[in-house]
Amino acid sequence: MSKSDQALEHIDIFSVAKNRQHVQTMVKLEAMPELASLLSAGEASDPFVVDIEGIEGDKGLPGALLTIHGTVFMNCVRCTKPVAVDIDREVPFLFVKDEAQANAVPVEDEDWEIVVGSDHMNIAQWVQEEIILSLPGFPQHDDCEAPQVLEDEQFEVAIDEKPNPFAQLREMLKEKQKN
């Protein structure tokens, strides 16, 4: 069974997992304000393509495979101009009913993310969290040059060229002492 909706906002994740459904949707950046605050201002991003496939989970829990494709723009740490960052993330999830059940699941298997699911799960919030986790800490262009640093000699010359605002003060004090 497959569902496809360009504007799907919420899903019953337990039903998707149990019935092995495949859900395809798009999530716009406007629906993810926390993510938008981390990105380059003024750069448009196409909606993210999101696939959610119900799968057999581990430990008898319902599961789903979340796949996200898209591109965001972040500021380059070297030149501060926008740099495109491709998002291509695939993460398997196990769903539990509440925090107590999540805490009871052993942490030995790192292949699965354990999440408190819902019959009205917000897709944009779920996708936003996964995209934020996949962002690079220091985005930069592949061919970006580091900003030019002044040599010590250039730095001293730059300081010497600046007029000293107190240079005339000494002369004024001498004149005052004579009077």
Side-chain angles (χ1 to χ4, degrees), residues 100-116:
Q101 189 179 7
N103 291 335
V105 176
V107 189
E108 64 208 27
D109 190 3
E110 295 179 14
D111 293 334
W112 298 86
E113 295 289 328
I114 299 170
V115 174
V116 176

Side-chain angles (χ1 to χ4, degrees), residues 78 145-156 158:
R78 290 188 167 204
E145 295 288 326
Q148 187 175 2
V149 179
L150 291 175
E151 299 287 328
D152 288 340
E153 295 169 6
Q154 290 174 320
F155 185 69
E156 289 174 13

Side-chain angles (χ1 to χ4, degrees), residues 169-179:
L169 184 60
R170 179 178 286 154
E171 296 301 321
M172 290 173 63
L173 287 173
K174 285 182 185 179
E175 288 295 318
K176 188 161 185 133
Q177 288 176 352
K178 287 182 184 179
N179 293 334

Side-chain angles (χ1 to χ4, degrees), residues 1 48 72 75 82 150 152:
M1 180 176 220
F48 295 91
V72 296
N75 290 330
L150 291 175
D152 288 340

Side-chain angles (χ1 to χ4, degrees), residues 117-128:
S118 167
D119 59 359
H120 199 67
M121 191 163 176
N122 185 309
I123 296 173
Q125 288 178 352
W126 185 23
V127 168
Q128 173 178 253

